[in-house]
Amino acid sequence: MPPYAGTFAKPENALKRAEELINVGQPNAALQALHDVITSKRHRTWQKVLETIMFKYVELCIQLKKGRLAKDGLIQYRIVCQQVNVNSLEEVIKHFLKLATEKAEQAQAQAAASAKASTLEIDDLEAENTPENLMLKSVSVENDKDRADRELVTPWFKFLWETYRSILEILRNNNKLEALYAMTAHRAFQFCVTYKRTTEFRRLCEILRNHLANLMKYRDQRDRPDMTLPETQNFYLETRFEQLKAAADLELWQEAFRTIEDIHGLTIILNKSPNPRMMASYFSKLTKVFWVSENYLYHAYAWYKLFNLSKTYNRNLTAEDLKAMASAVLLSAVAIPPYESRTSASVSNLELEFAKERDVRMATLLGYNLDPKRDPREVLSRKALLKELVSKGILSLVSIEARQCYALFEKEFHPLDLCKHAQKVFSSFNLEAVVLSASSPIPTIAFDQFLPRMRSLAVVRMLQQSSQVYQTMKLETLQQMVPFLEFSQVERILVDATKGGAVAVRLDHQNKCVRFEGDELESDSIKNHLVLMAQKLRKGIKMMYPDATPAAASLASKSNTADLLSKIEVEHKLALARKVIIERRKEEQERVLQEHEKELEEARVALQRKNEAAEAKRLEEERRSREEKRILQEMEEKEKQEALALIAEAEKRNKALGKGKKGLKIKLEEGQKIDKRSLMEDAIKEQIKERQDMERKLNRLAKKMDHLERAKREEEVPLIEAAYKVKMAEDEQHHKEMQQQNAEKHRQSWEVNVEEKKRLSKMASEKDSFAAAIVTRRSEEFEALRIEREERINELRSLRRAERELARRRAYVRKLQQIEEEARAEAEAAERERKEEEARARREEERRASEQNDRRGDGESEQRRDTGRYEPRRYEPSRGGDSRYGGDSRDSRYGDSRR
């Protein structure tokens, strides 16, 4: 059989063949037949029947659990309908998902029914185990339900999981099926949550991350989703938030944290912030992640962000919701340990760098943009958060218990009774979860989760306050001061607080006491070890030589002090010079190291670019060679298909020629290469020969038909003339009959109308009187309406005339007021100008007087310079009277300056 004999010319034939195979119990053969049609290149044009074939195909794949074949078929169908009818692919995939989900649910119900049936089949209910169960338990730890699940449920769950993976792989990076991609991801999340499939959930999250990474890496793909469209951005953000919700439901906190990082990275890529509802869900999940990871500082900041967001954008929150959320914010802030958790007392620089990078990363997730050069603990800290809560007035919204807790730990001072007071406050807390309204982003808040941290904080605060009052304390007393914790837990808290630097305490089990060292730490004693050694040596010398003379001792001490002071100055200068030299050497070493690192980085970048260029060149060559091979293969395949079509056409033509005639016969041997050119030449020759034979046959047939038609018409002429005469006579007779019938009908109609007129003429007088009455009544109504309308018009005219008169009077009054105001303004302006003119004249007169006085003073000074000496003049009253009483005589020394 040649290789093309098994293919179907029409897809409908393949569908019928598959139905026949299914009916005879051969589903595998039916699936293979449909698979051949779907993957065939002859049927790459979309048709409605292909959708029906795909429905049947996915049903067979689910029935036979052929997940790989289903994926292959869907990929081929996507190629067919991607550019023509992508909705058909969406319908097929939805049908596929629906059937796979139903099969998994049926398997689960069947397993539950079988377990129930096995329970009902037990004969003796008092017997704990049957012999069969005892034998199975001896070789396996599984029970009946586990075995039923492994045999019935697990294979279908595995198939359903493969279905989700295949569909996500098919729909990835497809801009026309983004909604279906998001819907499939949501259903996969729901599958993992419903059946507690944690491993599959982690794989699903990794698959989605790889899809997004490939989407951003290869930006020149065809049918790639446009990440700038709002609809596409919403699809991706909603998928990630659904992933975060599923991770929280499964309590996979590490995966939830990675999802939070994905959401933050996605917002940076999209350059878009999610809506407030999504951000509220984001911060609510972030509070859980930070609490589980024991990162209490950022847990409190997440609560603070959630509270601010809900208070600002959620207008449906009730007062109780705000109170509960504010209390949670305050308690989470108070529960932050006042020290940093450390594994040891000393921390390496590498650990500090890691901690700094982690803090910057956490702050970025919370929406804080910090300077990388600064320490994040300086910006985001327990003290800063509590200060901000107080400044924002959140303390006024919290509950009484939370406010008491804050005051006890941050404001009050109870060195001995702090834990007892804290125990009273803790007992007043509501241990049941507070249920919030439906509009809140968090359904419930459990305040009892803060109690362990509050107890630890109470112990630390008690130790801090006791260290300010006492130097030692008995262990028994310390144990009695903490009633709500065992001493081993107190001891553990004390060690952690000492490592973190919150308190300086030593446990002395030998003397059964606790020693408070104040603010002095071990490092301080190490720094001052030389001073301590000198003091102890001096004390030892005094003990060894108690009889030494104090005078000699004081003299030696003074000389030693002087030498010491002189040497201290020299040592200080040498230390400063050594410090400068060390700093310069460090700077030089850092500069050399930076230059070396820069050279290494440049070399690495150059090598990387070179490798990338070589790799890109190699990939381009491989792509080009693959493309050339593909084109050659397609050309050969196309030529082969065309040759096969020519062969099939030649065979049909040979059959149509009949038994007695021979046409072109083409035979193919096994392994023979089909030459399209030779086949086309043979076919063309055959067609030319057939066309010539057909033309000769048609010419002969045309002559024969021409002679036959001419003879037939010559014989028809006399017959046609006789028939025409008979027809004319019949038509004339029919015309006369019709005229007589019409005249008779017209006569009968006229008589009927005359009789009707006589009958109706009797009522003519009544009709005329009735019409006259109607006309009279309507004339009266019209006259009344006309009079009413004229009266209304006259009223309106008078009203409008009065309004116009009033408007004219008002306009006249306004005009008079305007004229009066203008006259008043002109008078005021004239008065103002007159006053300004008088003031100007007065200033001019004063200026002239001052200039005259200045000239007189200058003349007198010149006269005094000429005489060379000062001659005082006596006072001589004028003849006209005393100058004190208004006389005209004035002292010439002053001129007219007294005016």
Side-chain angles (χ1 to χ4, degrees):
M1 180 184 291
Y4 57 86
T7 59
F8 295 95
K10 294 182 179 180
E12 295 87 348
N13 299 336
L15 185 60
K16 293 178 181 178
R17 180 61 178 167
E19 294 287 352
E20 294 173 357
L21 292 172
I22 292 172
N23 293 331
V24 297
Q26 295 183 5
N28 288 310
L31 180 62
Q32 187 62 39
L34 295 178
H35 182 73
D36 293 340
V37 172
I38 294 168
T39 57
S40 175
K41 293 184 178 180
R42 298 180 63 183
H43 307 294
R44 287 297 173 87
T45 303
W46 185 85
Q47 306 174 36
K48 183 64 177 178
V49 68
L50 288 178
E51 183 176 344
T52 308
I53 289 174
M54 282 304 301
F55 283 143
K56 180 61 69 175
Y57 179 78
V58 296
E59 290 174 3
L60 288 174
C61 289
I62 292 173
Q63 181 182 350
L64 300 175
K65 297 180 184 177
K66 301 287 186 180
R68 294 187 180 274
L69 279 178
K71 181 180 178 180
D72 189 16
L74 288 173
I75 291 174
Q76 296 297 327
Y77 191 63
R78 181 188 64 183
I79 296 172
V80 172
C81 62
Q82 174 69 32
Q83 305 298 332
V84 181
N85 188 4
V86 75
N87 293 328
S88 176
L89 177 62
E90 183 176 356
E91 294 298 327
V92 171
I93 290 176
K94 287 182 178 179
H95 185 65
F96 185 32
L97 268 178
K98 179 183 177 182
L99 293 179
T101 307
E102 289 177 355
K103 283 290 184 180
E105 293 175 353
Q106 290 175 5
Q108 191 177 16
Q110 186 178 356
S114 63
K116 183 177 180 181
S118 61
T119 304
L120 295 176
E121 290 175 358
I122 297 175
D123 296 331
D124 190 359
L125 295 177
E126 294 182 359
E128 295 183 359
N129 292 305
T130 60
E132 294 83 1
N133 289 337
L134 289 174
M135 293 181 66
L136 287 173
K137 287 182 179 180
S138 63
V139 297
S140 175
V141 295
E142 295 180 344
N143 54 20
D144 294 339
K145 186 178 183 304
D146 295 337
R147 284 190 291 273
D149 289 344
R150 189 182 71 250
E151 293 174 0
L152 298 175
V153 181
T154 303
W156 282 111
F157 276 6
K158 185 176 180 181
F159 181 80
L160 182 57
W161 166 244
E162 290 294 333
T163 300
Y164 285 127
R165 288 189 59 178
S166 301
I167 292 175
L168 290 175
E169 189 69 24
I170 292 169
L171 300 178
R172 69 184 181 93
N173 302 343
N174 195 324
N175 58 354
K176 297 181 180 179
L177 295 172
E178 294 170 349
L180 185 59
Y181 179 83
M183 185 268 289
T184 306
H186 291 181
R187 293 185 64 175
F189 292 144
Q190 190 63 33
F191 165 77
C192 295
V193 172
T194 304
Y195 301 109
K196 306 298 180 184
R197 310 304 303 176
T198 57
T199 305
E200 285 76 11
F201 180 76
R202 292 191 184 94
R203 291 174 183 167
L204 178 62
C205 296
E206 197 63 33
I207 288 170
L208 296 179
R209 289 192 191 97
N210 292 334
H211 288 177
L212 182 60
N214 292 332
L215 177 64
M216 302 309 299
K217 184 177 180 181
Y218 304 106
R219 296 179 180 271
D220 56 347
Q221 290 180 346
R222 191 173 128 190
D223 299 328
R224 176 183 177 272
D226 188 2
M227 301 301 288
T228 60
L229 296 177
E231 187 177 4
T232 303
Q233 295 176 356
N234 290 333
F235 280 139
Y236 277 90
L237 286 174
E238 288 175 359
T239 302
R240 290 305 183 277
F241 276 99
E242 190 69 22
Q243 177 180 334
L244 177 60
K245 180 182 177 182
D249 293 340
L250 292 173
E251 296 183 356
L252 298 176
W253 304 114
Q254 186 175 3
E255 197 62 41
F257 182 74
R258 294 184 66 189
T259 305
I260 289 171
E261 288 185 326
D262 294 342
I263 293 173
H264 184 263
L266 190 61
T267 55
I268 295 174
I269 292 173
L270 301 178
N271 196 16
K272 175 188 176 182
S273 179
N275 57 43
R277 180 182 60 81
M278 289 185 177
M279 290 305 298
S281 175
Y282 172 83
F283 286 119
S284 65
K285 298 300 185 294
L286 205 56
T287 56
K288 295 182 181 179
V289 172
F290 283 142
W291 181 261
V292 173
S293 62
E294 297 182 357
N295 200 333
Y296 303 111
L297 176 63
Y298 296 109
H299 168 260
Y301 271 101
W303 263 112
Y304 181 55
K305 281 281 187 179
L306 177 61
F307 174 76
N308 285 335
L309 188 68
S310 301
K311 185 179 178 182
T312 305
Y313 293 101
N314 196 347
R315 303 298 181 185
N316 297 324
L317 283 178
T318 62
E320 294 297 328
D321 295 343
L322 284 175
K323 180 179 178 181
M325 294 180 70
S327 302
V329 173
L330 181 61
L331 291 177
S332 63
V334 173
I336 302 172
Y339 57 87
E340 296 184 8
S341 300
R342 299 178 182 174
T343 56
S344 60
S346 60
V347 184
S348 63
N349 292 331
L350 185 61
E351 291 179 354
L352 289 175
E353 289 294 329
F354 285 158
K356 183 178 178 181
E357 291 179 1
R358 184 191 66 236
D359 293 338
V360 171
R361 187 176 167 194
M362 300 298 176
T364 305
L365 293 179
L366 286 169
Y368 293 99
N369 295 323
L370 302 181
D371 187 3
K373 297 181 180 179
R374 293 186 61 186
D375 187 4
R377 296 288 180 174
E378 297 177 1
V379 182
L380 303 178
S381 61
R382 182 179 187 273
K383 183 178 179 181
L385 180 58
L386 287 174
K387 185 178 179 181
E388 188 170 0
L389 294 180
V390 173
S391 63
K392 296 293 184 180
I394 296 180
L395 292 181
S396 61
L397 302 175
V398 302
S399 60
I400 299 175
E401 296 82 2
R403 195 180 298 113
Q404 290 176 353
C405 192
Y406 169 76
L408 179 64
F409 292 137
E410 303 299 328
K411 301 295 182 181
E412 299 177 3
F413 186 79
H414 303 286
L416 298 177
D417 300 334
L418 179 64
C419 292
K420 295 179 181 178
H421 288 290
Q423 179 68 14
K424 295 179 181 178
V425 175
F426 296 159
S427 61
S428 63
F429 272 95
N430 186 10
L431 300 180
E432 296 181 358
V434 178
V435 180
L436 304 183
S437 62
S439 60
S440 175
I442 299 179
T444 58
I445 298 177
F447 292 108
D448 57 344
Q449 65 176 350
F450 299 108
L451 291 181
R453 298 306 313 162
M454 293 291 181
R455 294 189 180 101
S456 301
L457 179 63
V459 175
V460 175
R461 289 300 189 200
M462 184 268 295
L463 291 173
Q464 289 178 342
Q465 296 179 8
S466 299
S467 65
Q468 299 176 16
V469 181
Y470 303 101
Q471 291 183 349
T472 59
M473 181 182 292
K474 292 183 180 180
L475 294 179
E476 183 180 359
T477 305
L478 179 62
Q479 188 173 2
Q480 292 175 358
M481 290 169 61
V482 187
F484 46 76
L485 291 177
E486 297 180 359
F487 185 71
S488 59
Q489 297 176 346
V490 176
E491 190 174 3
R492 183 65 202 175
I493 295 170
L494 188 147
V495 172
D496 292 339
T498 305
K499 286 182 180 179
V503 293
V505 181
R506 285 183 181 275
L507 282 171
D508 190 352
H509 288 283
Q510 185 176 4
N511 296 322
K512 296 183 179 180
C513 66
V514 177
R515 300 184 184 275
F516 299 101
E517 297 184 355
D519 295 334
E520 297 181 359
L521 299 178
E522 188 176 357
S523 58
D524 297 332
S525 63
I526 292 174
K527 291 179 182 178
N528 302 327
H529 66 284
L530 293 176
V531 177
L532 295 174
M533 185 178 69
Q535 292 176 357
K536 291 179 180 179
L537 286 175
R538 187 178 294 110
K539 186 177 179 181
I541 290 172
K542 288 182 180 180
M543 293 174 66
M544 292 171 62
Y545 305 102
D547 298 332
T549 58
S554 62
L555 182 62
S557 176
K558 289 181 180 179
S559 62
N560 292 334
T561 303
D563 294 338
L564 182 60
L565 290 175
S566 62
K567 289 181 180 179
I568 284 174
E569 185 68 25
V570 175
E571 289 293 334
H572 181 64
K573 292 181 179 179
L574 292 175
L576 292 177
R578 187 163 55 251
K579 182 179 179 182
V580 173
I581 293 171
I582 291 171
E583 292 294 333
R584 289 178 180 174
R585 288 179 181 176
K586 283 184 178 180
E587 292 176 358
E588 182 67 22
Q589 187 177 4
E590 289 178 356
R591 185 182 62 79
V592 173
L593 184 60
Q594 288 178 359
E595 291 179 355
H596 182 63
E597 290 179 353
K598 185 177 180 181
E599 292 175 358
L600 292 177
E601 183 66 19
E602 291 177 354
R604 185 186 64 79
V605 170
L607 181 61
Q608 183 179 0
R609 289 177 180 174
K610 184 178 179 181
N611 293 335
E612 288 178 355
E615 182 67 17
K617 185 177 180 182
R618 184 184 64 80
L619 293 175
E620 182 65 23
E621 291 177 355
E622 290 181 356
R623 187 191 64 78
R624 193 181 296 111
S625 62
R626 287 196 301 270
E627 187 70 18
E628 290 175 356
K629 290 180 181 178
R630 184 184 64 79
I631 292 172
L632 290 175
Q633 290 178 358
E634 288 182 356
M635 291 175 65
E636 291 177 357
E637 184 67 23
K638 185 176 180 182
E639 188 173 352
K640 182 178 178 180
Q641 295 293 336
E642 291 177 355
L644 293 175
L646 289 175
I647 292 172
E649 186 178 355
E651 289 180 354
K652 290 180 180 179
R653 194 180 300 112
N654 291 337
K655 292 180 180 178
L657 290 175
K659 296 181 179 179
K661 297 183 180 180
K662 296 183 179 180
L664 179 63
K665 293 184 178 180
I666 301 173
K667 294 183 179 180
L668 294 177
E669 297 179 358
E670 188 69 25
Q672 179 183 356
K673 187 175 181 180
I674 300 175
D675 189 3
K676 177 186 173 183
R677 185 175 299 173
S678 60
L679 290 174
M680 289 182 66
E681 290 177 356
D682 295 341
I684 290 170
K685 290 178 182 179
E686 181 66 22
Q687 290 177 2
I688 293 171
K689 185 178 178 181
E690 290 179 357
R691 192 181 300 115
Q692 291 174 355
D693 293 341
M694 185 60 68
E695 287 177 356
R696 287 193 294 268
K697 186 186 295 183
L698 289 174
N699 289 332
R700 289 195 300 268
L701 183 61
K703 288 181 180 180
K704 183 178 179 181
M705 291 298 294
D706 189 14
H707 293 303
L708 181 62
E709 185 67 22
R710 188 181 296 115
K712 185 172 32 173
R713 291 188 180 182
E714 289 177 355
E715 294 293 331
E716 285 179 351
V717 169
L719 297 176
I720 291 173
E721 290 178 353
Y724 177 72
K725 292 178 180 179
V726 173
K727 181 66 175 174
M728 288 293 291
E730 291 178 355
D731 290 343
E732 185 177 0
Q733 182 66 27
H734 179 69
H735 177 68
K736 292 179 180 179
E737 292 177 358
M738 292 302 296
Q739 281 185 343
Q740 292 177 0
Q741 291 179 2
N742 290 335
E744 186 67 25
K745 288 181 180 179
H746 186 269
R747 181 69 181 177
Q748 293 177 359
S749 174
W750 177 78
E751 292 177 354
V752 171
N753 291 335
V754 170
E755 292 295 330
E756 186 68 17
K757 182 180 179 181
K758 291 179 180 179
R759 188 178 66 84
L760 294 176
S761 60
K762 299 177 182 179
M763 296 182 288
S765 59
E766 287 80 0
K767 186 262 295 181
D768 294 337
S769 60
F770 178 74
I774 290 176
V775 170
T776 303
R777 180 173 54 81
R778 290 186 179 179
S779 298
E780 293 174 355
E781 291 176 356
F782 172 76
E783 186 66 22
L785 290 174
R786 185 182 63 78
I787 294 171
E788 183 182 359
R789 178 174 175 273
E790 288 179 356
E791 292 176 355
R792 187 167 60 253
I793 291 173
N794 292 331
E795 290 178 359
L796 290 175
R797 284 176 181 173
S798 60
L799 181 62
R800 290 179 182 177
R801 189 180 299 109
E803 290 177 354
R804 285 196 298 272
E805 183 66 23
L806 181 61
R808 281 197 296 270
R809 290 181 180 180
R810 288 178 179 175
Y812 179 70
V813 170
R814 284 196 298 269
K815 187 174 181 181
L816 291 178
Q817 291 176 354
Q818 184 178 0
I819 292 171
E820 184 179 355
E821 289 176 357
E822 289 177 355
R824 190 184 301 112
E826 289 177 357
E828 290 177 355
E831 181 69 19
R832 188 165 54 254
E833 289 178 358
R834 185 182 63 77
K835 290 181 180 179
E836 290 177 356
E837 187 66 27
E838 291 177 357
R840 194 180 302 110
R842 194 184 308 108
R843 286 195 300 271
E844 183 66 23
E845 185 179 356
E846 291 176 357
R847 184 182 63 77
R848 291 176 182 175
S850 63
E851 288 178 356
Q852 186 177 4
N853 292 335
D854 291 341
R855 284 197 298 272
R856 289 180 181 178
D858 292 341
E860 291 177 359
S861 62
E862 289 178 0
Q863 186 177 2
R864 283 195 296 270
R865 282 197 299 269
D866 293 338
T867 55
R869 61 188 181 85
Y870 175 74
E871 293 181 359
R873 298 179 65 181
R874 295 179 179 178
Y875 175 74
E876 294 180 358
S878 61
R879 294 179 180 180
D882 194 351
S883 62
R884 293 176 296 175
Y885 299 99
D888 295 334
S889 177
R890 290 179 174 82
D891 195 349
S892 62
R893 291 177 298 176
Y894 302 102
D896 294 337
S897 61
R898 295 184 180 181
R899 295 179 180 176

